[in-house]
Amino acid sequence: MVTVSENLADAKNAELQDDLRDRPGLWKQITSFARKQPLGFAGLIVVLVFICLAVFAPWLSPFDPEASSYEHMLAPPGTTSDAGTFYLGTDDFGRDVLTRIIYGARTALFVGFTCAIVGATVGLVLGVGSAFFGGKIDLIFQRIMDIFMAFPLIIMALSIVAIFGSSIQNVIIAITIPFIPRCARVVRSSALAIREIPYIDAARANGFSNSRIIMRHMVPNVMAPFLIMLTAFVGQAILLEASLSFLGLGVQEPVPAWGLMLKNAQEYIRSEPWIAIWPGIAITLGVFGFNLFGDALRDALDPRLRSNQ
Amino acid sequence: MRFSTLKLAIGAATATALTLGTIAGAAAQKSGGTLNFVVGSKIPSYDAHVETTFGMIHPIAPFYSLLIRVNPDAPATNDFVCDVCEGDVDKGADGGKLFTFKIRKGLKFHNGAPLNANDVVASYNKIIFPPKGVASSRKSFYRMVESVAATDDHTVVFKLKFPSGAFIPALASPFNFIYSKADLEKNGLTWHKTNINGSGPFVFVEHQPGAFVSGKKFAGYHHKGRPYLDGFRAIAAPKMAARVQAIEGDRASIEFRGFPPKQRDALVKVLGDKITVQESDWNCVLMATPNQKKKPFDDARVRRALSLSIDRWGGSKYLSKIAIVKTVGGVVFPGHPLAATEAELTKIAGYGKDLKANRAEARRLLKEAGQENLSLVLNNRAVDQPYKVVGTWLLDQYKKIGIKATQQVNPSSVFYDILRKKQDFDVSIDFNCQSVINPIADVSKFLPGGGANYSGSKDKKLVEMYDALLRAPTEAEQRKLVRQYEKRVLDTEATHAITLWWYKINPHRSYVKGWKIAPSHYLGQQLDQVWLDK
Amino acid sequence: MLQYVLKRLLLMIPTILGAAFIIFFILRVVPGDVCELKLGGDGGHYDPVQVEICQKNLGIDRPVYEQFGKFVVGIFTFDYGNSMDTGKPVTHEIGLRFQLSLQIAIMATLVTIIIAIPLGTISAVYQNSWIDYIVRTVSIAGIALPSFWLGILLLLFLLNFSDWMWGIRWSPPLIYKPIWEDPYHNVSQLIWPAVATGYRYSAVATRMTRSSMLEVLREDYVRTARAKGLLEKLIINRHALKNALLPVVTVIGIEFAFLMGGLVVTEQVFNLNGLGQLLVHSVTGKDYTMTQAIVMIIVLVFVFTNFMVDILYAWLDPRIRYS
């Protein structure tokens, strides 16, 4: 769904030339962000909560995520056992749902961040490089990007995992590959606009090396679209991973993952609806947090929108 | 081979049909109505001689007749009856090397052409002796057959090279559709992949790809008074949840493969007496096969430890709640006279009832073999029921003896490739799933070099035992030899670790009558016996 | 303009060829083909000779370049061959499924237009008011809400609600009938997946309507209209909305192509025999011809929609044509 914004972002991003360097102090930034972007701030909080869940999962969760308790299969929320209380109930293998949701945050964020960071960074390098060198390189590169962009995101991801088998590595690869051209395109159009600015010419005239021009002048100037794409990718990657796992093509048992939990839960939705409710809430909330935050980030980094406020 | 003459008294033992009223007299049967049922797999092609899946059998079998079939009114008994032939199924002459079948007179294909012995011969020739370039999936089942011929328009004679108890069960395979000789000659041997012209109880009406197949009553059907239904519709529903919801919302009346117990309970809970449940042991089993070509699985101690870790008796109680598996058994379909009794089973490693002792022994064996920190990857198939559920359960069992186990769930193509060609797995899920109950087929799965044994075992002793078994003169002798064979496979050599035999549960709308559960999801699917009490 | 159109049209060719190349080879990288899959069923009897026969019949044993050549020629002549799985023409297999997916996509688009345009407009006009915050939150939540989860909840609701209302459990029909054959049957089956996907889709469009409206509202001609003292309602309906809709229509256009592929998951939940489900089947079943055909159809729709959007933009903004 971000394809939309991306396509339009192409035109818009040409005008994005914000500079991240001269900013007031951190605390002041946060408070002013919270005041100006209450929704974005809420998103940030949600994101931080999920990050904490993922990082501190072993200390926060009451059970081992893969430990089956066959005496307590599909127990309703609040069931108590010798080992403790299953606050959100148990799944078909008698594993604690709360624990698996907390550990599921690990899987989701691991996939989300890896795909987003790798995808966006590779996209950044390719996009800036393509814009900087221009000419034939740019042309060939654009055609290759076009080819990859011709596949809808899920079609490409699905084909990759269906063919190569489903493991967490393949899921990450499957999601990352289609991200690359999407980021590269947006970054390239921003970088192209910067290349036309006289100071790049000046830098060239001064005999600065290509790498110096790229690193010192071009990359910092495309940070805004890069960061916007990156945050958008995290949410998308989480959703895609959940979709693939739901289709049975993503993460595999016994690894705790939200989409996989939903897939199994669907079988028991008649008798034990709770196991289908919690993972759905977790996915929605997680993606929601990243989207809110990303949206606010876009507003904050896009000078045109900012001047409008 | 005397298996054909064995009185297979498995009926009572296997089918614990919870239903009443399905055994109704002819007078009670009502005609009319359309049966909607859901099928969880797709139709690869219409040619049963080539295909191997229930996804083809369930929607297409009602269009065709067979030479002989498992009695659809009592499929649990493994009682073979004539379909297009007349009288009783031949017991064999010439020391079990000559079988003669009289074909009914006045039979017709749906296109109006007459059906006689020549059509039966043409069909079996296609199955047993396909010309070069024509596929036939079960060709290897008929190695004992020397020739098939029609002595006149109404007599078919099978000549065998050697007597074999596996012959009649193989002949009764539900995949042996009778095709028209004229069709085969005029349109070629692959015409039936995409076209249907049978002589079964229903006439093909429509196939909407991926959606449904529909059929209507064949007025000229040879079993008098049948079929009772006006027609049927086989609706594709790949997701289990969708199939359950379809029955709950009465969009479909029945599903013929089987549901896990949880789904049964959910349906019974919301629909009460509108739902009838039939249950039976199932002629399929999953096993874990360690790869002997790979260290340390070439060590029998390690393989035994893997088998010892499995809580079969416990799993039979709890795993059976969420998966379509239940019965603890050995190498032969449980309930068959040749299968091990509970007392016999408990003597096999991993079948003892003291789980703690089993696992302590497993740890000891691993230690002895120097494999205390063993880690392994289980090659599994991307099919939910029961592959993934059993696989996930197995990982948990292995963990209990200190093995670090993960699974690699592969699409079926990759799964097969690893299992059969590459053979580079540590431990793989493996299976044995037959249609007609046939202990020979069951035990041949474990035969080294037999084509279906993927463990990499080269155990010569097992081959000798198998040969002796084939020549055993009496049932008692066979039983004894099967026990030895079983002990060798599951305990001494531990080439395969059998998990739990499948358990078939078919909850259906109570108005569906006449359909009786069989120990296989391939049997009893011509639907001529089914009627609706509406 | 004509020159630009031609140039863009020519540029589509390498893209389509490249996509064909990728899907063709990616399918063949991993061992195992449709024959091994079909002939190695649950029965456990596996006959290598039979597999070879099958491979020969399907032409999988031919050299790869020969197969690829045939496939590429097929793309441009619309001859996709026979499904390797069912042996029937691919076009026959795709026919009704395409119709079903297309109808859901259209219905979802209608749901989107009905929801997105009014909500987005209101949200922009009352920017930073409580109503704006609610609309924005709901629309961001919409993007976050997995459509398959919403689908599951919808089905559960239908079964329970119908039981509570009428004492009979009702679930949507399983078999697709075209709308002109049986409109009630058709709509009662497809409205639920259309809502589940349309809700997500409308969230995207609402956001686009809002931001596009915000931009237009600040344009000079709107200010002029205001200065002239025109009624606010009139300004919004007559001037602003009309101009703001262009990017929204573009978004809806691009998303439409995307939606066709994105239905994959929703179709699974609702047991719909659509293009998405066929793709999952054929890609896991190693049905090369079918997978290639479906992917190429989706790619063609996608590329063509992008082309139309580009042309539309170029037509509206002459600067693009000459850049």
Side-chain angles (χ1 to χ4, degrees):
Chain A
M1 319 285 123
V2 178
T3 36
V4 185
S5 4
E6 286 158 23
N7 270 291
L8 293 178
D10 274 15
K12 254 194 212 167
N13 281 329
E15 290 163 54
L16 284 181
Q17 292 148 44
D18 196 15
D19 193 343
L20 289 170
R21 280 166 300 185
D22 44 304
R23 284 286 158 113
L26 182 69
W27 181 246
K28 225 179 148 192
Q29 270 188 49
I30 293 173
T31 48
S32 101
F33 180 67
R35 211 178 43 245
K36 278 194 198 153
Q37 301 281 352
L39 287 180
F41 190 67
L44 181 67
I45 303 276
V46 174
V47 168
L48 289 176
V49 167
F50 274 100
I51 291 176
C52 287
L53 284 182
V55 172
F56 302 110
W59 295 276
L60 290 172
S61 44
F63 291 89
D64 173 350
E66 294 179 14
S68 300
S69 166
Y70 295 113
E71 317 83 71
H72 298 99
M73 288 157 89
L74 296 163
T79 305
T80 48
S81 75
D82 301 341
T85 307
F86 305 110
Y87 291 102
L88 301 184
T90 62
D91 68 3
D92 43 348
F93 282 93
R95 299 173 298 204
D96 184 41
V97 171
L98 175 63
T99 304
R100 289 181 69 79
I101 291 213
I102 295 174
Y103 273 88
R106 260 190 183 189
T107 312
L109 294 194
F110 177 66
V111 172
F113 278 116
T114 315
C115 296
I117 291 170
V118 175
T121 311
V122 176
L124 174 79
V125 173
L126 294 178
V128 169
S130 175
F132 180 80
F133 293 107
K136 254 190 194 139
I137 294 179
D138 188 39
L139 195 74
I140 292 169
F141 173 79
Q142 280 307 102
R143 294 289 76 78
I144 295 173
M145 290 296 116
D146 276 355
I147 293 168
F148 278 90
M149 292 283 286
F151 294 94
L153 216 91
I154 191 155
I155 299 297
M156 179 132 216
L158 184 135
S159 309
I160 293 175
V161 272
I163 293 166
F164 292 92
S166 30
S167 64
I168 202 153
Q169 295 94 313
N170 286 356
V171 168
I172 289 173
I173 294 169
I175 299 174
T176 306
I177 290 177
F179 277 173
I180 295 171
R182 282 169 173 79
C183 181
R185 249 198 167 186
V186 173
V187 167
R188 176 183 165 272
S189 62
S190 288
L192 270 182
I194 291 154
R195 211 176 59 131
E196 304 306 320
I197 295 172
Y199 78 91
I200 300 280
D201 285 338
R204 269 205 186 119
N206 277 338
F208 290 154
S209 69
N210 282 351
S211 59
R212 184 181 158 131
I213 297 172
I214 291 177
M215 291 314 293
R216 292 288 294 273
H217 299 285
M218 294 189 72
V219 171
N221 279 300
V222 296
M223 277 325 269
F226 169 74
L227 286 176
I228 290 167
M229 293 307 282
L230 192 120
T231 33
F233 283 167
V234 179
Q236 276 189 77
I238 294 175
L239 210 51
L240 267 176
E241 180 265 307
S243 307
L244 290 176
S245 300
F246 180 76
L247 287 176
L249 296 168
V251 178
Q252 294 298 341
E253 289 281 354
V255 178
W258 298 334
L260 188 59
M261 291 173 78
L262 259 186
K263 173 185 157 46
N264 291 349
Q266 203 195 354
E267 310 276 299
Y268 304 102
I269 193 155
R270 301 298 311 122
S271 40
E272 285 84 15
W274 63 86
I275 57 171
I277 302 292
W278 310 124
I281 292 177
I283 298 170
T284 310
L285 207 59
V287 180
F288 184 59
F290 278 100
N291 284 352
L292 275 181
F293 177 63
D295 242 36
L297 197 68
R298 161 174 247 132
D299 284 2
L301 293 180
D302 186 330
R304 224 158 64 112
L305 287 180
R306 193 169 53 200
S307 66
N308 284 345
Q309 284 181 346
Chain B
M1 274 320 311
R2 298 290 185 284
F3 282 113
S4 66
T5 58
L6 281 180
K7 195 73 199 154
L8 300 181
I10 41 183
T14 40
T16 50
L18 302 182
T19 166
L20 297 168
T22 46
I23 309 157
Q29 283 137 354
K30 294 180 191 167
S31 288
T34 298
L35 176 75
N36 290 314
F37 61 90
V38 268
V39 187
S41 189
K42 54 181 182 157
I43 304 170
S45 85
Y46 305 147
D47 190 350
H49 300 174
V50 177
E51 303 306 336
T52 59
T53 168
F54 75 93
M56 184 279 307
I57 284 288
H58 289 184
I60 307 298
F63 302 131
Y64 284 98
S65 301
L66 306 168
L67 176 60
I68 58 169
R69 58 178 179 174
V70 171
N71 186 356
D73 296 318
T77 56
N78 219 28
D79 167 25
F80 301 111
V81 297
C82 267
D83 191 356
V84 299
C85 59
E86 272 179 322
D88 288 335
V89 173
D90 194 3
K91 297 274 188 287
D94 186 21
K97 291 209 292 190
L98 195 74
F99 288 82
T100 309
F101 296 91
K102 284 273 166 210
I103 307 300
R104 286 170 193 255
K105 293 191 177 101
L107 294 175
K108 274 195 167 45
F109 281 103
H110 296 157
N111 69 352
L115 187 162
N116 61 33
N118 296 312
D119 300 296
V120 176
V121 171
S123 302
Y124 273 98
N125 272 327
K126 177 174 181 280
I127 294 165
I128 303 172
F129 311 109
K132 208 167 178 275
V134 174
S136 169
S137 290
R138 280 156 296 269
K139 189 183 155 189
S140 62
F141 283 22
Y142 305 94
R143 272 180 294 218
M144 71 293 270
V145 179
E146 189 180 293
S147 69
V148 192
T151 50
D152 60 57
D153 274 0
H154 299 287
T155 314
V156 175
V157 176
F158 286 83
K159 263 192 198 141
L160 307 194
K161 293 174 207 156
F162 52 89
S164 168
F167 174 65
I168 289 293
L171 207 60
S173 161
F175 291 93
N176 294 350
F177 292 176
I178 303 298
Y179 293 155
S180 149
K181 190 183 178 197
D183 284 341
L184 291 170
E185 280 175 356
K186 202 173 73 202
N187 305 314
L189 296 178
T190 56
W191 184 77
H192 291 87
K193 277 189 174 173
T194 47
N195 295 279
I196 294 172
N197 178 30
S199 56
F202 295 92
V203 182
F204 174 73
V205 175
E206 187 188 1
H207 176 198
Q208 205 183 84
F212 68 90
V213 168
S214 59
K216 65 169 197 278
K217 184 177 190 161
F218 177 39
Y221 189 53
H222 55 271
H223 291 291
K224 286 289 156 266
R226 292 188 175 193
Y228 305 110
L229 297 168
D230 285 339
F232 74 90
R233 216 174 303 152
I235 305 163
K239 278 226 148 198
M240 166 88 70
R243 298 198 290 279
V244 178
Q245 275 154 10
I247 291 177
E248 189 179 339
D250 207 10
R251 296 284 173 187
S253 316
I254 188 164
E255 192 258 13
F256 292 119
R257 185 169 182 255
F259 285 154
K262 266 284 167 190
Q263 269 67 2
R264 167 198 65 197
D265 296 345
L267 282 172
V268 171
K269 195 175 152 204
V270 293
L271 293 174
D273 61 1
K274 291 192 189 109
I275 277 286
T276 299
V277 183
Q278 297 191 53
E279 302 188 7
S280 164
D281 271 328
W282 197 339
N283 196 8
C284 292
V285 67
L286 292 188
M287 52 199 96
T289 305
N291 183 4
Q292 298 192 25
K293 289 179 181 164
K294 211 169 172 184
K295 278 192 187 319
F297 305 105
D298 54 341
D299 187 335
R301 290 172 299 189
V302 175
R303 300 197 300 267
R304 287 183 75 184
L306 290 180
S307 182
L308 279 161
S309 74
I310 301 171
D311 179 15
R312 294 183 173 84
W313 300 102
S316 175
K317 286 199 192 74
Y318 56 76
L319 191 65
S320 65
K321 287 185 194 156
I322 56 167
I324 54 173
V325 299
K326 186 178 188 177
T327 314
V328 182
V331 293
V332 174
F333 174 65
H336 189 280
L338 285 177
T341 61
E342 189 168 323
E344 285 163 339
L345 279 175
T346 49
K347 288 182 194 128
I348 300 169
Y351 286 81
K353 295 217 167 174
D354 187 348
L355 182 65
K356 269 193 187 147
N358 290 349
R359 288 190 173 151
E361 169 68 3
R363 280 176 183 272
R364 190 191 67 75
L365 284 168
L366 284 179
K367 197 173 173 188
E368 198 183 295
Q371 294 296 335
E372 287 157 290
N373 300 313
L374 180 64
S375 63
L376 62 85
V377 180
L378 181 74
N379 175 39
N380 202 352
R381 183 180 177 191
V383 173
D384 284 346
Q385 280 292 353
Y387 291 78
K388 285 211 241 175
V389 185
V390 169
T392 306
W393 174 68
L394 272 176
L395 299 185
D396 190 50
Q397 304 296 301
Y398 292 156
K399 266 180 205 153
K400 298 270 159 64
I401 58 165
I403 295 174
K404 266 197 188 153
T406 51
Q407 67 181 332
Q408 173 72 48
V409 179
N410 290 310
S412 297
S413 55
V414 180
F415 169 77
Y416 286 139
D417 193 64
I418 292 174
L419 184 66
R420 289 176 180 145
K421 273 199 186 155
K422 279 211 201 97
Q423 302 213 322
D424 59 351
F425 56 90
D426 293 340
V427 178
S428 178
I429 288 277
D430 193 353
F431 46 81
N432 195 11
C433 193
Q434 309 286 343
S435 53
V436 179
I437 291 163
N438 183 353
I440 280 269
D442 288 349
V443 294
S444 69
K445 162 79 189 163
F446 308 95
L447 184 68
N453 185 335
Y454 309 119
S455 70
S457 162
K458 292 194 180 85
D459 190 13
K460 287 210 182 73
K461 186 98 189 282
L462 212 50
V463 181
E464 284 165 23
M465 289 168 113
Y466 182 76
D467 282 345
L469 178 63
L470 288 183
R471 285 175 183 76
T474 65
E475 190 190 325
E477 183 71 9
Q478 280 171 347
R479 210 170 178 288
K480 210 178 104 198
L481 289 169
V482 169
R483 290 290 77 70
Q484 287 172 8
Y485 185 86
E486 187 167 60
K487 176 92 177 162
R488 181 94 188 157
V489 171
L490 299 181
D491 192 333
T492 323
E493 282 291 310
T495 59
H496 299 73
I498 287 183
T499 61
L500 297 167
W501 283 77
W502 294 15
Y503 191 69
K504 200 163 180 293
I505 299 174
N506 292 104
H508 58 81
R509 285 279 170 171
S510 295
Y511 57 71
V512 177
K513 305 280 188 192
W515 181 82
K516 283 197 223 105
I517 196 164
S520 160
H521 52 314
Y522 301 111
L523 298 176
Q525 289 306 134
Q526 286 167 307
L527 306 183
D528 56 318
Q529 76 278 28
V530 179
W531 55 282
L532 301 179
D533 191 14
K534 279 213 260 206
Chain C
M1 184 69 200
L2 188 69
Q3 203 189 349
Y4 177 77
V5 172
L6 278 175
K7 198 180 130 200
R8 285 291 291 106
L9 213 54
L10 280 176
L11 276 178
M12 280 164 67
I13 295 171
T15 309
I16 291 166
L17 281 178
F21 182 84
I22 290 181
I23 191 65
F24 182 89
F25 283 96
I26 217 177
L27 274 172
R28 284 163 177 81
V29 167
V30 170
D33 55 43
V34 65
C35 293
E36 290 179 17
L37 205 57
K38 279 170 73 170
L39 298 174
D42 282 336
H45 39 268
Y46 169 72
D47 187 348
V49 179
Q50 297 300 324
V51 171
E52 255 172 58
I53 292 172
C54 166
Q55 286 169 337
K56 197 158 183 173
N57 291 343
L58 291 177
I60 310 177
D61 62 334
R62 309 295 306 154
V64 174
Y65 60 86
E66 192 184 313
Q67 293 183 49
F68 183 64
K70 212 174 153 196
F71 166 49
V72 169
V73 172
I75 295 173
F76 292 101
T77 55
F78 293 100
D79 172 19
Y80 289 100
N82 291 344
S83 158
M84 289 190 173
D85 194 12
T86 63
K88 290 187 177 171
V90 164
T91 40
H92 168 81
E93 297 277 341
I94 288 177
L96 262 181
R97 286 156 159 132
F98 185 74
Q99 195 181 321
L100 182 142
S101 294
L102 187 69
Q103 195 192 333
I104 299 176
I106 292 171
M107 284 169 81
T109 310
L110 289 177
V111 171
T112 300
I113 293 171
I114 293 167
I115 296 176
I117 292 172
L119 277 189
T121 311
I122 291 169
S123 182
V125 170
Y126 300 99
Q127 192 196 4
N128 292 334
S129 70
W130 60 271
I131 197 163
D132 180 32
Y133 280 113
I134 290 178
V135 170
R136 283 170 68 191
T137 314
V138 170
S139 62
I140 299 177
I143 296 175
L145 190 69
S147 53
F148 53 88
W149 190 51
L150 187 60
I152 294 177
L153 297 182
L154 264 176
L155 280 172
L156 193 63
F157 169 79
L158 286 175
L159 279 168
N160 284 323
F161 181 75
S162 58
D163 189 34
W164 178 68
M165 279 295 285
W166 302 285
I168 289 174
R169 294 182 167 261
W170 187 88
S171 65
L174 288 175
I175 293 174
Y176 172 72
K177 284 186 190 162
I179 193 160
W180 50 87
E181 270 178 27
D182 189 342
Y184 171 75
H185 179 102
N186 175 286
V187 174
S188 67
Q189 180 185 24
L190 299 188
I191 187 70
W192 316 105
V195 166
T197 39
Y199 172 63
R200 264 183 66 83
Y201 190 10
S202 66
V204 178
T206 305
R207 277 150 56 99
M208 187 45 75
T209 312
R210 176 180 177 272
S211 64
S212 161
M213 262 314 262
L214 278 179
E215 270 174 41
V216 171
L217 283 176
R218 289 184 177 84
E219 294 285 344
D220 290 342
Y221 65 89
V222 175
R223 288 181 197 194
T224 316
R226 280 215 180 98
K228 280 202 296 189
L230 287 181
L231 278 175
E232 190 70 17
K233 212 171 155 187
L234 200 71
I235 296 170
I236 290 165
N237 286 340
R238 263 293 160 71
H239 300 273
L241 192 57
K242 208 173 82 187
N243 286 297
L245 275 185
L246 182 70
V248 178
V249 170
T250 317
V251 166
I252 290 178
I254 294 171
E255 280 290 292
F256 184 77
F258 193 83
L259 192 71
M260 294 287 291
L263 279 171
V264 171
V265 193
T266 324
E267 281 173 8
Q268 294 267 337
V269 173
F270 289 94
N271 194 49
L272 294 170
N273 179 39
L275 213 53
Q277 194 160 141
L278 182 64
L279 175 69
V280 174
H281 270 164
S282 50
V283 76
T284 47
K286 305 224 105 189
D287 185 346
Y288 295 158
T289 39
M290 183 71 91
T291 312
Q292 284 164 188
I294 300 170
V295 171
M296 285 321 290
I297 285 175
I298 293 172
V299 165
L300 284 176
V301 171
F302 210 63
V303 169
F304 189 71
T305 320
N306 272 321
F307 167 74
M308 293 301 286
V309 169
D310 279 359
I311 299 297
L312 195 66
Y313 261 90
W315 183 56
L316 290 164
D317 187 350
R319 278 176 306 174
I320 295 173
R321 263 180 265 166
Y322 303 110
S323 67

